[in-house]
């Protein structure tokens, strides 16, 4: 992984990832209070949208970490996708209206080139509070690795 | 580690609001019922570990982002 360190100036934050170079406004920073499983201390991310990489987006850390994930709207992968949030997730996201939430699934590329999407534990963002969380609903029926065909 | 002996239908209280009840004891497993306040997440540990491992694989995704995007576009 070879991201350049984060630079700050009056225009905002420069985020240079392996996937994109973007200038982001500090107001666009999303807080993940619990980090993500495996990245518990990484709590601030931005969501980078590079049109030529659609439907992919990049969830990139901005706290000096170069951690980043390729993410995609799970409905773009599986149009019928629907997951029910648990009460602790809803509380932590600070919402009682699921319709305003943004759902993203992390893309996993194996060493053999297989592309899969994690539909079991999606990332859910509450734009009203700029807060996010990777959830693992107990009733979720989708696989951890939903493989995308060749 | 605290160790308790519990029989079927007996419980353990953790703090003010978390109750762990033994529902059934089988040969290969114990069925537990958990009552916890809504703000406390409850997960099977192996699920958390699987998601952690998947996240680590995902963060190591190689450069071929255009090819991945193309594959997703073809899929949709």
């Amino acid at each position: 992984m070879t991201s350049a360190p984060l630079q700050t100036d009056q225009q905002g934050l420069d985020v240079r990832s392996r996937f994109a170079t973007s200038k982001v406004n500090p107001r666009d920073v999303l807080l993940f209070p619990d980090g993500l499983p495996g990245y518990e201390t990484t709590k601030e991310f931005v969501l980078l949208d590079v049109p030529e990489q659609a439907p992919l987006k990049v969830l990139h850390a901005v706290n000096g970490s170069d951690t980043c994930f390729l993410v995609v709207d799970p409905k773009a992968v599986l149009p019928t996708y629907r997951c029910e949030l648990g009460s602790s997730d809803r509380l932590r996201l600070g919402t009682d209206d699921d319709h305003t939430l943004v759902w993203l699934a992390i893309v996993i590329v194996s060493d053999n080139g297989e592309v899969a999407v994690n539909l079991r534990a999606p990332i859910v963002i509450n734009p009203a509070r700029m807060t996010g969380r990777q959830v693992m609903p107990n009733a979720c029926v989708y696989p951890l690795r939903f493989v995308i065909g060749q | 580690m605290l160790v308790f002996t519990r029989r079927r239908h007996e419980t353990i209280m953790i703090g003010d609001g978390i109750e762990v009840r033994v529902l059934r004891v089988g040969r290969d497993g114990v069925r537990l019922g958990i009552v916890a306040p809504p703000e406390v997440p409850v997960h099977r540990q192996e699920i958390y570990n699987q998601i952690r491992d998947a996240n680590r694989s995902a963060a190591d995704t190689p450069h071929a982002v255009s090819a991945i995007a193309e594959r997703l576009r073809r899929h949709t």
Side-chain angles (χ1 to χ4, degrees):
Chain A
M1 216 177 284
T2 54
S3 308
L6 192 69
Q7 295 175 356
T8 308
D9 59 26
Q10 280 88 3
Q11 278 88 48
L13 305 169
D14 262 340
V15 175
R16 291 199 191 90
S17 74
R18 329 171 253 157
F19 305 122
T21 299
S22 306
K23 193 171 282 291
V24 298
N25 192 307
R27 283 179 309 199
D28 293 335
V29 173
L30 297 160
L31 179 66
F32 283 64
D34 300 314
L36 274 68
Y39 298 87
E40 286 81 0
T41 59
T42 307
K43 297 178 190 292
E44 291 183 324
F45 288 88
V46 286
L47 189 60
L48 307 176
D49 197 351
V50 184
E52 53 266 33
Q53 293 172 356
L56 288 174
K57 293 179 178 161
V58 181
L59 188 68
H60 200 292
V62 291
N63 58 355
S65 157
D66 59 5
T67 302
C68 63
F69 299 95
L70 294 176
V71 293
V72 63
D73 176 357
K75 281 185 186 293
V77 175
L78 195 66
T80 56
Y81 185 84
R82 185 180 155 75
C83 242
E84 193 68 34
L85 276 184
S87 56
S88 73
D89 291 324
R90 207 170 275 128
L91 265 171
R92 280 162 189 243
L93 286 162
T95 183
D96 48 14
D97 181 5
D98 287 3
H99 298 291
T100 61
L101 301 175
V102 176
W103 294 68
L104 297 165
I106 295 178
V107 177
I108 307 160
V109 183
S110 306
D111 292 339
N112 64 9
E114 179 187 270
V115 177
V117 176
N118 178 353
L119 297 182
R120 175 68 183 83
I123 286 169
V124 185
I125 292 169
N126 179 4
R129 296 211 177 181
M130 293 303 282
T131 187
R133 169 171 185 75
Q134 188 172 17
V135 302
M136 32 196 129
N138 286 317
C140 182
V141 296
Y142 301 103
L144 190 61
R145 287 182 168 79
F146 180 85
V147 176
I148 305 298
Q150 291 297 310
Chain B
M1 182 187 287
L2 276 172
V3 180
F4 298 95
T5 300
R6 299 277 74 188
R7 299 180 194 286
R8 196 155 70 101
H9 301 317
E10 292 184 339
T11 63
I12 289 170
M13 294 297 299
I14 302 172
D16 287 333
I18 300 174
E19 180 183 317
V20 181
R21 182 183 298 264
V22 178
L23 299 178
R24 195 178 67 218
V25 181
R27 246 170 35 144
D28 297 325
V30 177
R31 192 164 176 83
L32 301 175
I34 316 282
V35 179
E39 67 274 15
V40 176
V42 179
H43 303 295
R44 296 173 183 85
Q45 189 184 31
E46 69 272 18
I47 306 259
Y48 187 94
N49 292 348
Q50 286 167 11
I51 291 164
R52 179 199 60 202
D53 295 346
N55 283 349
R56 287 181 178 154
S57 303
D60 287 336
T61 292
H63 281 263
V65 61
S66 305
I68 299 165
E70 176 59 28
R71 196 185 293 195
L72 280 163
R73 282 196 293 269
R74 278 205 306 272
H75 172 83
T76 51

